[in-house]
Amino acid sequence: MSRTVLVTGASSGIGRAIARQLLQLGHVVIGTSRDGRKFGHAHPAFIPIELDLSRLQTIEPVAKGIQRNFPELDTVIFAAGYGQFGGLEQFSFAQIERLVTVNFTGQAFLTKALLPMLKQKPHSNLIYIGSEAALKGSRNGSIYCASKFALRGFTQALRDECGKSGVRVSLINPGMVDTEFFEALNFAPGRRPEQALQAEDVAEAVSYILQANPHAVIDEINLSPASKVVEFKK
Ligand code: NAP
């Protein structure tokens, strides 16, 4: 069955791997990011759309346009987000607000805007990319962990709220994945193959969720590299 899937953060890393795998499987992919020039998917079934999740007032109009142009949309995968780490006192107030907005509030806005349409479908899916940071707080991660804990609480409550509809809500919590996520950070996973997940591993988890029988909801998937090694950059 061919689906029409909205993937946020489709220009890089996990979202890009998910978009590529869905296109290979014959689905139509609407991919969002802040900069349409970053998309590298020259594919007839790929539709790029610009969306900045930090600009909350733009989310509803973009969502309305997507619903108007793609009424067949039945799956949304929330893979946009970024990391910022450090002691709380090292953050400015604006940085705290932005990290929580992009990693949580923007996703809640987009969900709210699309939910009435998705509830009308016999079967639809909301799949969020959380993190191991949604499961355990850790040093230097106060705001990042808070944004991911918020997302996890949101998905648990939303799953309950959507229980009488055909909307399935799932959360994937990866450990460290070898992506551009670490370009702006002072650490990265170790370089040995067993020390990082690949973005395609997360895309596989998305496929597993989508292929489950319609009566089965995969609530949460936690996946980690076989060996956790953090390397600090000089
Ligand atoms: P990435 O390669 O840096 O990709 C991040 C994506 O998010 C890009 O497509 C980027 O697009 C988009 N994005 C960033 N800020 C945005 C904004 N303000 N508005 C809209 N889109 C924005 O990182 P990734 O590893 O794929 O991370 C994706 C998600 O997985 C994030 O939520 C991250 O927290 C989570 N995660 C990552 C890891 C990891 O180790 N890599 C582990 C666990 C969870 P543009 O820059 O083009 O806008």
Side-chain angles (χ1 to χ4, degrees):
M1 182 187 81
S2 172
R3 298 173 187 276
T4 298
V5 183
L6 176 63
V7 180
T8 73
S11 62
S12 177
I14 293 171
R16 183 173 56 206
I18 293 168
R20 283 184 178 154
Q21 188 172 97
L22 291 168
L23 289 167
Q24 271 169 15
L25 292 169
H27 303 300
V28 174
V29 175
I30 307 158
T32 78
S33 91
R34 287 168 297 179
D35 181 357
R37 288 168 302 182
K38 269 178 75 182
F39 287 107
H41 321 290
H43 191 289
F46 182 79
I47 299 116
I49 288 186
E50 287 189 17
L51 176 64
D52 184 343
L53 288 169
S54 72
R55 298 177 61 217
L56 292 176
Q57 72 286 1
T58 66
I59 293 176
E60 190 184 20
V62 170
K64 279 197 172 142
I66 292 170
Q67 292 177 82
R68 205 170 35 247
N69 294 324
F70 304 98
E72 68 284 10
L73 176 75
D74 67 5
T75 297
V76 187
I77 300 169
F78 297 80
Y82 72 99
Q84 187 173 359
F85 299 87
L88 182 60
E89 290 142 286
Q90 294 168 306
F91 278 75
S92 68
F93 292 111
Q95 286 171 331
I96 293 173
E97 188 178 29
R98 188 162 191 282
L99 189 52
V100 175
T101 300
V102 173
N103 285 0
F104 171 63
T105 317
Q107 327 238 9
F109 271 51
L110 185 57
T111 306
K112 174 186 159 49
L114 295 172
L115 194 56
M117 173 207 190
L118 294 174
K119 276 189 167 170
Q120 285 170 17
K121 314 262 166 185
H123 305 293
S124 57
N125 299 277
L126 293 167
I127 304 176
Y128 299 82
I129 306 301
S131 169
E132 63 182 359
L135 306 173
K136 187 175 179 300
S138 58
R139 192 152 40 100
N140 289 327
S142 56
I143 306 304
Y144 184 73
C145 291
S147 70
K148 294 293 184 178
F149 267 65
L151 190 65
R152 184 164 185 244
F154 175 77
T155 60
Q156 287 181 356
L158 192 65
R159 188 174 305 119
D160 205 15
E161 192 179 314
C162 291
K164 290 199 167 64
S165 72
V167 183
R168 301 189 297 185
V169 181
S170 305
L171 177 69
I172 301 174
N173 294 314
M176 287 199 288
V177 189
D178 182 15
T179 70
E180 291 89 327
F181 181 87
F182 293 99
E183 279 177 4
L185 302 178
N186 69 350
F187 68 93
R191 284 182 219 145
R192 296 174 66 91
E194 69 275 18
Q195 293 170 346
L197 295 166
Q198 297 302 312
E200 290 71 22
D201 297 322
V202 185
E204 286 292 333
V206 168
S207 288
Y208 174 66
I209 288 169
L210 289 178
Q211 284 164 20
N213 283 324
H215 62 264
V217 184
I218 316 278
D219 296 354
E220 252 179 74
I221 295 179
N222 300 335
L223 70 167
S224 316
S227 163
K228 181 168 180 174
V229 173
V230 180
E231 284 186 359
F232 286 91
K233 300 174 191 170
K234 292 200 181 101

